Amino acid sequence: MAPEWSEAQRAVHCQIVDVFALQVVTGFTRDPQGKLLLEAHPSVAAGRSWSLAKAAQLVRLDARPERWVVLQRNNRAWGMFWAGGGLHRCRQELLETSQSTALSSALVPVTPEALLRLVLNLDAGDTAAAATVLHADASPAAVGGSGVLKAVLWTSLAWLIVLALTAAGFLGVLREQDRKLELLLERLPPPASDR
């Protein structure tokens, strides 16, 4: 939860995150034995929001409760989870308390590409492809193939060109002003002390 969260805010919106596969819960189903199975997608935008109480209940009732962490939908909470070391701490604690060996084999390394794909929803249209690209063997070139990243790249390139043209124009105007100032100084009569 965010640092400003208090016990009175039980109805705050949360998301359920699979800390080992880096996916966010989109819904749930039941297996043939009637056990609850949370379904996840590798995109924050595809994730569903739950109240804190409902999210905690779903995690407790899931067939694999050791995979999930309930995270408040708040920029500060997400920032502390991803950049502040919360993800690593949760992974470590869940691995220590769980008896399952399947968790360590499902561990997706936290790479910049995996986090970018999770947070920016790069493959919203292709769920199967998005799930497979998160593996460690995904090359950085695979991330560059997405439409959003290409759009960001082209937009950044356009802004850099505009910035370069503006800087070049500004430097040209400065040179012209410097030249005019030199001409004016040449036309001034010499000071009286030189006469």
Side-chain angles (χ1 to χ4, degrees), residues 22 68 103 119 172:
L22 296 181
W68 312 104
L103 291 180
V119 175

Side-chain angles (χ1 to χ4, degrees), residues 18 45 53 65 77 111 116 127 137 169 176 179 188:
D18 182 340
T111 62
L116 185 66
T127 306
D137 56 0
E176 183 66 25
R179 191 179 61 77
L188 281 178

Side-chain angles (χ1 to χ4, degrees), residues 116-179:
L116 185 66
R117 191 166 300 284
L118 177 73
V119 175
L120 293 182
N121 189 18
L122 296 179
D123 287 326
D126 188 7
T127 306
T132 57
V133 175
L134 273 176
H135 295 295
D137 56 0
S139 67
V143 176
S146 78
V148 172
L149 199 53
K150 284 182 182 177
V152 169
L153 177 68
W154 285 110
T155 305
S156 299
L157 184 61
W159 279 110
L160 283 174
I161 291 170
V162 168
L163 180 64
L165 291 174
T166 304
F170 182 69
L171 288 174
V173 168
L174 279 178
R175 284 190 194 113
E176 183 66 25
Q177 292 296 324
D178 189 39
R179 191 179 61 77

Side-chain angles (χ1 to χ4, degrees), residues 31-49:
D31 67 2
Q33 290 79 28
K35 288 189 177 182
L36 186 73
L37 295 174
L38 295 175
E39 297 175 344
H41 185 274
S43 166
V44 172
R48 187 167 165 199
S49 292

